[in-house]
Amino acid sequence: MLILGVDTTRDALTVVITDGKKTRFIVSEEGNKKHTSLLIPKIEELLTANGLSLSDADAFSAVTGPGSFTGIRVGISTINALSYATGKPCIDVNSFELVAYNKGEGTVLIDALHGNYYGASVKDGKVLSMRYYEKGDEIPGERFYRDEQDDYVGAFAYLLNEKAAEREFVNSLVPLYLRESQAEREARKNG
């Protein structure tokens, strides 16, 4: 099964094509402010470089969060559109699963800036619970995993292939937000 996956939740834009045997990818370090303009060209570049087209993909995926609010929306909207246009299913992967890949029991922490964190309790790569921690909150646990994975692309490809083998498909992707956006917080604050 050929799967096209993207991650627009981080500063680096990642596009992956995997079929369970071989993984091809592009990681663009141009910053998350350019994801909107770079995503489709990078998908086309990777497909073309490998003699493939969108119709060759059997499933699509985007990392659903947590991470950059705008980045999440860019990736999910693009992948949902490709899925709808081709009639192919989606595979939901979240940031916590990527960090927890190949890890034991502990707490995954993803930097939410200004001393805040997105956190998840994990065991053997599976997410047990998720929460947003504000600066000063006590974060339970003894073993912590940060948001950088030594083999990020390998973890992404592994999860895509594993979920495809388990037939974990969805019709469309939904953002994983653990807190309100800045605009929502401001609107609530201003009544």
Side-chain angles (χ1 to χ4, degrees), residues 25-191:
F25 63 94
I26 292 176
V27 177
S28 174
E29 301 283 349
E30 296 185 48
N32 64 14
K33 301 283 189 227
K34 296 198 176 222
H35 287 358
T36 303
S37 61
L38 290 176
L39 183 56
I40 295 294
K42 292 298 181 185
I43 289 171
E44 290 174 346
E45 179 183 337
L46 187 59
L47 289 169
T48 301
N50 290 282
L52 298 167
S53 69
L54 282 176
S55 62
D56 293 318
D58 297 304
F60 297 96
S61 180
V63 177
T64 57
S68 158
F69 278 92
T70 301
I72 290 169
R73 288 189 293 269
V74 167
I76 287 176
S77 297
T78 301
I79 291 304
N80 281 341
L82 295 177
S83 171
Y84 181 78
T86 62
K88 308 285 178 68
C90 293
I91 298 172
D92 187 339
V93 173
N94 68 58
S95 302
F96 295 126
E97 293 172 310
L98 288 165
V99 178
Y101 166 75
N102 220 13
K103 304 277 192 308
E105 188 172 356
T107 302
V108 170
L109 294 176
I110 297 175
D111 190 358
L113 304 176
H114 311 294
N116 305 311
Y117 290 92
Y118 302 111
S121 174
V122 299
K123 184 173 183 178
D124 300 324
K126 302 294 182 198
V127 176
L128 305 175
S129 64
M130 298 177 270
R131 167 166 179 207
Y132 177 71
Y133 294 98
E134 291 187 5
K135 185 176 182 176
D137 286 349
E138 183 177 333
I139 302 173
E142 295 178 15
R143 176 176 283 158
F144 298 96
Y145 305 113
R146 298 301 177 152
D147 57 353
E148 291 305 316
Q149 174 62 257
D150 292 338
D151 183 13
Y152 183 81
V153 171
F156 194 13
Y158 174 84
L159 287 169
L160 292 173
N161 291 310
E162 180 182 68
K163 288 183 176 217
E166 295 293 323
R167 315 277 312 146
E168 291 183 30
F169 299 117
V170 295
N171 292 327
S172 64
L173 299 172
V174 177
L176 173 59
Y177 295 136
L178 295 180
R179 68 176 178 140
E180 295 176 316
S181 70
Q182 182 177 350
E184 290 168 321
R185 291 190 309 270
E186 289 296 320
R188 187 173 33 82
K189 182 174 128 182
N190 295 328

